[in-house]
Amino acid sequence: MSISKRISIKRLCRLTLAGATLLALAACGGSDGDPGKPGDPGGEPAMTIQSLHVEFMDVGFTDGIASVKYRVTNQDDEVVVGIPSATFIAAQLVPEGFTGAGNASTWQYFGSENCASTCPGSYTDLKTGIYTYSFSAPFEGMNGQSLIEGATQRLVIKLGGDSLPDGTPLPITNAHKDWQSAGEPAYTRNIVSIDTCNSCHSNLAFHGSRYNQVETCVTCHNATRVSNPANVFAPMVHSKHLAGFPQPLADCETCHKPDEALADNQNWHKIPTMEACGSCHTNINFPAGEGHPAQPTNANCVACHNADWTAEVHSDKAADDALAAFEVQLTSASMAAGTVTVGVKLVNPQSGEVYGAADSLDFVSDLRVYANWGGSMDYTTRSARSIRLQSTAAVASENGVNSYQITGLTVPAGTEADTGTLAVQGRICAADGKLVACGDGVDVLVIKSSHRFFDSSMLTTAGRRTVVTNETCGNCHGDQKLNFHGARNDLEGQCQLCHNHNMQADATAANPAHTTADFKQLIHALHRGKFEGFETLNYPGNIGNCAQCHTNNTDGVLSVALPLSTAVQPMALSDGSFTSPTAAICSNCHESDSAKNHMTQQGGVFAGTKADATAGTESCNTCHSQGGMADVLKVHPIH
């Protein structure tokens, strides 16, 4: 049967379901009667369902029993008819101070009712994409809780994870509605966004992937639902991030990002409580007075820990103020006979002040410029050449620009028209948000590293391809907050100057790709917990979601797409052999014998000669390139 015929039959089935009620009404005789109320919206039934969207039409109480009416559509606003099951979760929010002076607002759980083959309440599919549900009992007394007049109520609906009667699978969807008996709620509690969580976790979901929204989590993870206080949402989330968190823990705004769309996004510093604070400051027992004056309740927390003070000590404001007063600008570059001459200007971008040369500045702890050549071949040597500006005299100075020379670059014959890369790293000294002379008792701050491309005569905008960016890495690690070798944090373009294909893998290892410091191999192995010394690393996202780290190329295509850039070189092994480029990268994750056999059968070379590894025999593109039957952009869970 053709695809078009199958779709026609499915559409007919759904139209039949949707129209059954209308046909029954049409068969009735008698007069037309008085005009009725306008009907509910209908629409074309959905044929393909990639996502579900829930529109709450009505929610309220009748004799103390809550009921809801809602409409479900797909990604194209087509109605979804015949959803066989749903879960309904109810809670109420009591405001700040209601449970005791100084206490934060908190959710109180009423209950959860699941409708599938049976239903505790009354579940109705109106066959128009509209559904209704009435709970089985009044909220008053449910789960031992009292229904509070005027309190904000929350209703969560979980749909999906099953299929329509015709077999169409339904994606799991959580939707929530906050309301009061009088209408829209006067207050609510939304502190963090699931988008913030998913910037690191990809697609955060728990309990069999049924629940994937923060608003759902807090509805159940509160003191009236969980028996263990450690499983209340805020303490639970804080404690889970204490180990292995990929950026500084003291910066609360990593997760608590300022967001006007969140009603309580500043709650973290405005309402300090022993429950929230103690989940990070684990050495303190507030009621017992251990590590802190005895504090039996939250009543007096804000007397000392006011909002401004709390925000200040949990941020890097002083450091950020000092760093904002210093910038390294590379103004020019040219190369002759393996020596690159680079112009450097040190400025205060806020005031416009131009500083002198680095060797004259007492607040410069360390400032270096690196260079390597061969952007089109991922660089000619495994180690970039570098100079320390604070201990190097400039060869020329003019209008605040100091020129330095970096010697010893390797420029193979025939590559004179290629490009190179310059990278800057450094540390400066500061106190109280200002630059000060380096010495005892002052902070030493790492500046943001940076890189620029150059050719034989000038700085250029074109150079080595961009595969990852500081922004994509920053999703988990923060904005260039991950420092290696003391002060290197430009993961986008600096690291590759040394961590390139000239590094060697251990030929005796079970998987040599897990042993080389070549950047593309190293990063994959690190994030899989396969690189030696990092076996316990717990990657928080979906390891197959390449878009978590990779960026789009100049054509707008994710840089993981095949075919690979011709700049990608084979992986060098310690015994002098080589593995062909695509096989080397793919086998870092796809390392089974069957996977390697498949790559070999398709022309991949493992531990062969360099000539064989660069002969271009890999035919991976036939199936795995863009638009292919097994396009890597399609077979990986990329979103």
Side-chain angles (χ1 to χ4, degrees):
M1 184 183 293
S2 69
I3 292 176
S4 61
K5 286 183 178 179
R6 288 201 300 272
I7 291 176
S8 295
I9 290 173
K10 290 175 75 174
R11 185 175 291 277
L12 176 61
C13 291
R14 296 193 197 170
L15 284 169
T16 299
L17 283 170
T21 302
L22 295 176
L23 288 172
L25 290 173
C28 298
S31 66
D32 292 339
D34 296 328
K37 294 181 180 179
D40 291 322
E44 282 286 304
M47 291 294 102
T48 61
I49 301 175
Q50 298 164 354
S51 61
L52 293 176
H53 303 274
V54 177
E55 174 194 356
F56 287 86
M57 302 175 68
D58 188 32
V59 60
F61 289 115
T62 302
D63 297 328
I65 296 178
S67 61
V68 61
K69 183 178 183 180
Y70 58 97
R71 182 172 183 258
V72 184
T73 56
N74 71 349
Q75 66 283 347
D76 298 317
D77 199 35
E78 297 170 328
V79 298
V80 180
V81 179
I83 297 176
S85 68
T87 299
F88 303 89
I89 308 172
Q92 72 180 351
L93 179 66
V94 295
E96 175 190 348
F98 185 88
T99 59
N103 289 353
S105 59
T106 185
W107 291 101
Q108 295 179 335
Y109 173 83
F110 284 124
S112 174
E113 297 189 349
N114 183 59
C115 291
S117 57
T118 61
C119 191
S122 178
Y123 176 68
T124 304
D125 178 357
L126 299 179
K127 309 303 182 185
T128 59
I130 296 175
Y131 303 79
T132 66
Y133 184 71
S134 294
F135 277 80
S136 61
F139 285 174
E140 176 62 38
M142 191 179 289
N143 190 40
Q145 303 303 309
S146 297
L147 179 63
I148 300 172
E149 182 70 26
T152 294
Q153 306 296 319
R154 170 167 290 176
L155 177 62
V156 173
I157 302 177
K158 193 282 293 181
L159 304 174
D162 50 10
S163 301
L164 295 179
D166 63 10
T168 302
L170 297 172
I172 290 177
T173 301
N174 293 180
H176 76 281
K177 173 68 175 178
D178 291 350
W179 56 287
Q180 287 179 330
S181 56
E184 289 300 310
Y187 68 98
T188 187
R189 178 181 170 88
N190 292 317
I191 294 178
V192 296
S193 164
I194 192 63
D195 292 336
T196 301
C197 302
N198 283 338
S199 67
C200 199
H201 290 285
S202 294
N203 186 19
L204 197 61
F206 295 98
H207 303 293
S209 297
R210 295 192 302 271
Y211 305 124
N212 54 23
Q213 298 292 324
V214 173
E215 292 83 1
T216 306
C217 300
V218 299
T219 303
C220 290
H221 282 274
N222 54 67
T224 63
R225 175 69 175 90
V226 298
S227 56
N228 184 352
N231 288 331
V232 172
F233 189 76
M236 178 182 70
V237 172
H238 290 166
S239 62
K240 286 184 179 297
H241 287 82
L242 290 180
F245 193 62
Q247 50 180 302
L249 277 171
D251 186 359
C252 299
E253 289 191 340
T254 299
C255 299
H256 294 280
K257 294 185 181 299
D259 184 350
E260 292 184 0
L262 298 174
D264 289 325
N265 74 92
Q266 300 299 310
N267 178 283
W268 67 271
H269 67 92
K270 289 184 176 180
I271 307 174
T273 66
M274 67 179 78
E275 293 82 9
C277 299
S279 56
C280 284
H281 298 280
T282 56
N283 60 327
I284 295 177
N285 184 322
F286 291 96
E290 297 173 1
H292 187 280
Q295 192 82 19
T297 71
N298 294 314
N300 295 320
C301 296
V302 74
C304 295
H305 304 289
N306 64 72
D308 291 342
W309 180 89
T310 304
E312 183 177 344
V313 299
H314 289 87
S315 72
D316 296 323
K317 183 179 184 306
D320 290 343
D321 288 345
L323 289 168
F326 183 74
E327 183 179 84
V328 182
Q329 299 176 352
L330 301 182
T331 61
S332 63
S334 61
M335 191 181 68
T339 295
V340 58
T341 301
V342 55
V344 180
K345 189 176 185 180
L346 308 180
V347 301
N348 181 333
Q350 294 182 321
S351 67
E353 177 186 359
V354 178
Y355 300 119
D359 59 355
S360 68
L361 302 175
D362 58 9
F363 61 80
V364 173
S365 172
D366 183 58
L367 192 59
R368 307 185 190 203
V369 179
Y370 292 77
N372 207 342
W373 184 254
S376 70
M377 66 190 85
D378 284 354
Y379 304 118
T380 56
T381 60
R382 63 165 292 190
S383 295
R385 306 295 295 179
S386 68
I387 57 171
R388 298 181 65 188
L389 300 190
Q390 76 273 23
S391 57
T392 303
V395 296
S397 297
E398 185 177 359
N399 297 326
V401 176
N402 295 281
S403 297
Y404 301 88
Q405 290 187 329
I406 305 173
T407 61
L409 273 68
T410 299
V411 185
T415 69
E416 292 84 0
D418 207 334
T419 59
T421 302
L422 296 160
V424 175
Q425 72 178 63
R427 288 174 289 196
I428 56 177
C429 298
D432 299 323
K434 300 183 182 303
L435 301 177
V436 299
C438 297
D440 294 338
V442 302
D443 297 323
V444 180
L445 308 176
V446 177
I447 69 171
K448 288 184 180 180
S449 303
S450 60
H451 67 279
R452 293 288 304 272
F453 303 125
F454 69 99
D455 60 21
S456 60
S457 60
M458 66 180 72
L459 292 171
T460 67
T461 56
R464 184 187 185 273
R465 69 197 183 284
T466 301
V467 180
V468 299
T469 67
N470 288 320
E471 287 73 22
T472 57
C473 297
N475 285 335
C476 283
H477 295 293
D479 184 13
Q480 293 188 246
K481 292 183 179 180
L482 189 63
N483 297 306
F484 292 101
H485 308 299
R488 299 173 196 171
N489 53 52
D490 178 13
L491 305 178
E492 177 178 321
Q494 176 187 27
C495 302
Q496 298 83 345
L497 266 67
C498 295
H499 290 276
N500 53 52
H501 67 97
N502 295 291
M503 297 283 189
Q504 291 186 339
D506 182 359
T508 66
N511 188 342
H514 295 162
T515 66
T516 175
D518 182 2
F519 192 77
K520 55 185 172 292
Q521 305 293 350
L522 173 67
I523 291 301
H524 289 145
L526 278 173
H527 287 86
R528 292 191 65 223
K530 297 285 188 176
F531 198 81
E532 183 178 358
F534 293 85
E535 293 85 356
T536 59
L537 190 147
N538 181 23
Y539 185 67
N542 185 334
I543 197 68
N545 181 17
C546 308
Q548 192 80 2
C549 303
H550 283 263
T551 190
N552 290 345
N553 61 25
T554 53
D555 295 324
V557 178
L558 195 67
S559 61
V560 73
L562 291 181
L564 288 179
S565 165
T566 55
V568 180
Q569 303 298 312
M571 180 175 68
L573 280 71
S574 57
D575 62 359
S577 64
F578 293 84
T579 295
S580 53
T582 308
I585 294 172
C586 295
S587 64
N588 204 305
C589 292
H590 302 283
E591 54 181 324
S592 67
D593 289 340
S594 60
K596 292 177 68 175
N597 288 339
H598 171 74
M599 295 178 209
T600 302
Q601 291 166 1
Q602 305 307 318
V605 175
F606 288 91
T609 66
K610 187 171 185 178
D612 287 343
T614 57
T617 57
E618 291 181 322
S619 61
C620 312
N621 299 334
T622 303
C623 295
H624 297 294
S625 63
Q626 297 172 62
M629 61 181 294
D631 182 350
V632 295
L633 298 179
K634 301 297 183 183
V635 297
H636 289 86
I638 294 172
H639 58 271

